[in-house]
Amino acid sequence: MSANPAIRPFVPELSLRHDWQLDEVQALFDLPFNDLIHQAQTVHRANFDPNEVQISSLLSIKTGACSEDCGYCPQSARYDSSLKAEALMPVNEVLEAAQRAKDDGASRFCMGAAWRQPKDKDIERVVEMIKGVKALGMETCVTLGMLTDKQTEELKAGGLDYYNHNLDTSEDYYSEVITTRTYQDRLDTLARVRDAGINVCCGGIVGMGEGQQDRAKLLIELANLPKHPESVPINMLVQVQGTPLMGTESLDPLVFVRTIAVARIMMPRSRVRLSAGRKEMSDEMQALCFLGGANSIFYGDKLLTTDNPMTHQDLTLFKRLGLHSGGSSHAQ
Ligand code: SAM
Ligand code: DTB
Ligand code: SF4
């Protein structure tokens, strides 16, 4: 047996661990790149079709004027990002956008709102959106900020499939990026969502000036939750003019790939999503992310407020890599 804690035999049926320790996760990050990618690809192949990528489309259903101070976010009311604020969209317009996303090949429609927390009356309209999108035959995901028990139950009763709520970074680094809520606030909403029986979509952002240990600790938080999030979005910071994190030193792209690969190893059956930041990535870097175990993307020309690669570019990339779309979460 090797003394290196990163080199363990992979046993699929014993693989869903919730007891990750910092030293072994650091050791994974420190592996020679080829060894790390090989291990991640082995785990990936034991759990998924290696050439299949799940496709989600995003829509901002309520834009800007958010009371939170997330240092990365152009939607915070505190920063001048020249973004036009927009009220909660009418249901019919949302359903038209969902139909277009379905026609383009997306299987999941994710609706994002720039709220610290929704009001009870907002939930009523969001539930109408969820019902309408489900009637189109798509999976539904919403991200609305912090939820109460009652709101969570209403979303579940409306048929919601996934709730996105990111931890973003380590608890240690959190207050460097956000001061208007705590890490525990985030964990509380995640527990409500899990307890209500809604699938959890939870990940983070890298490239915010955090250290290696913060990336490792974020992944430990995610993997050591009572159940792994079904979707784990890994975002590369999109630097937006006017936000405090604009001008942050760029992260080594290979560190981003390593983060994807370590997430794949720690959460073998979760969809690891290569999320924001793809527009700034080369095709070769995205190919390395897929090789490292990413098997989900946001597809469509826009994320929430920033640009994503054009759909025809993604179709070309999928063709060059022999990737196909499909799939949902792995049953856990
Ligand atoms: N207001 C809700 C919340 O914060 O949970 C939902 C919308 S918020 C925009 C959803 C997620 O988008 C954030 O948690 C963050 O991880 C991600 N995000 C926002 N701005 C980003 C940026 N500039 N680059 C990368 N990810 C970003
Ligand atoms: C997630 O992890 N990334 C998405 C989605 N969940 C909601 C949002 C990315 C936002 C990027 C900045 C923007 O377009 O406003
Ligand atoms: Fe508001 Fe969400 Fe942006 Fe934070 S990330 S400012 S909570 S929209």
Side-chain angles (χ1 to χ4, degrees):
M1 190 72 180
S2 165
N4 184 341
I7 302 177
R8 293 169 165 257
F10 177 69
V11 185
E13 61 274 20
L14 298 178
S15 60
L16 296 186
R17 293 183 45 202
H18 301 271
D19 60 352
W20 289 92
Q21 303 296 314
L22 187 57
D23 61 342
E24 56 183 337
V25 178
Q26 297 272 31
L28 283 173
F29 270 100
D30 291 342
L31 279 173
F33 189 76
N34 290 348
D35 291 344
L36 174 61
I37 298 297
H38 177 73
Q39 194 170 325
Q41 182 62 205
T42 305
V43 171
H44 193 186
R45 281 172 183 267
N47 291 283
F48 287 100
D49 170 349
N51 301 308
E52 185 244 276
V53 175
Q54 186 272 329
I55 287 183
S56 295
S57 267
L58 271 173
L59 177 70
S60 179
I61 58 171
K62 185 268 167 188
T63 304
C66 183
S67 62
E68 301 269 48
D69 70 350
C70 314
Y72 46 76
C73 188
Q75 302 204 67
S76 167
R78 297 165 195 239
Y79 315 132
D80 184 12
S81 62
S82 341
L83 187 73
K84 195 171 154 282
E86 284 170 34
L88 184 60
M89 284 173 70
V91 176
N92 66 315
E93 287 178 24
V94 172
L95 299 186
E96 283 163 21
Q99 181 65 57
R100 282 195 296 276
K102 185 184 176 190
D103 294 344
D104 285 342
S107 62
R108 191 180 306 165
F109 194 63
C110 307
M111 296 164 270
W115 286 318
R116 169 180 166 80
Q117 56 201 93
K119 298 192 185 73
D120 288 346
K121 75 169 177 24
D122 298 323
I123 295 287
E124 281 173 39
R125 200 189 297 178
V126 173
V127 164
E128 291 311 306
M129 294 173 188
I130 291 167
K131 288 182 175 164
V133 174
K134 279 188 83 77
L136 297 176
M138 300 179 84
E139 290 183 325
T140 51
C141 177
V142 297
T143 179
L144 314 172
M146 293 183 270
L147 297 177
T148 63
D149 286 338
K150 177 168 165 277
Q151 293 172 337
T152 315
E153 292 301 334
E154 284 168 2
L155 292 172
K156 173 65 183 171
L160 180 66
D161 297 302
Y162 289 81
Y163 195 78
N164 167 249
H165 202 62
N166 290 339
L167 286 174
D168 281 335
T169 188
S170 70
E171 185 167 16
D172 301 342
Y173 198 62
Y174 206 67
S175 61
E176 299 288 321
V177 180
I178 301 154
T179 68
T180 48
R181 59 170 185 258
T182 64
Y183 214 65
Q184 191 59 47
D185 289 331
R186 272 332 237 193
L187 291 168
D188 290 348
T189 295
L190 287 168
R192 284 195 178 96
V193 169
R194 180 55 88 200
D195 291 349
I198 300 169
N199 290 309
V200 172
C201 171
C202 183
I205 309 178
V206 296
M208 299 196 292
E210 76 285 345
Q212 184 54 61
Q213 188 160 317
D214 297 303
R215 290 183 284 273
K217 285 187 171 177
L218 166 66
L219 296 182
I220 290 171
E221 289 285 349
L222 297 170
N224 289 356
L225 287 168
K227 198 172 173 202
H228 295 169
E230 282 76 10
S231 288
V232 179
I234 306 292
N235 297 275
M236 175 76 108
L237 173 69
V238 179
Q239 299 205 9
V240 183
Q241 209 57 254
T243 59
L245 290 184
M246 179 69 205
T248 304
E249 194 183 338
S250 302
L251 186 75
D252 174 355
L254 294 179
V255 172
F256 184 86
V257 179
R258 282 180 182 273
T259 308
I260 295 255
V262 176
R264 164 53 64 226
I265 292 165
M266 294 173 70
M267 292 168 280
R269 296 190 179 179
S270 302
R271 286 272 167 191
V272 175
R273 184 173 307 128
L274 169 55
S275 304
R278 286 197 303 116
K279 192 156 192 293
E280 289 71 36
M281 295 175 197
S282 67
D283 286 354
E284 293 78 7
M285 176 170 168
Q286 293 186 59
L288 280 177
C289 290
F290 294 128
L291 191 64
N295 61 352
S296 171
I297 57 164
F298 286 123
Y299 176 74
D301 303 351
K302 258 213 161 8
L303 291 164
L304 289 173
T305 68
T306 64
D307 290 341
N308 203 34
M310 306 289 276
T311 51
H312 69 85
Q313 288 176 323
D314 281 341
L315 293 176
T316 305
L317 179 62
F318 271 42
K319 201 157 178 223
R320 286 172 73 203
L321 298 176
L323 297 174
H324 57 267
S325 64
S328 185
S329 289
H330 198 296
Q332 291 196 33

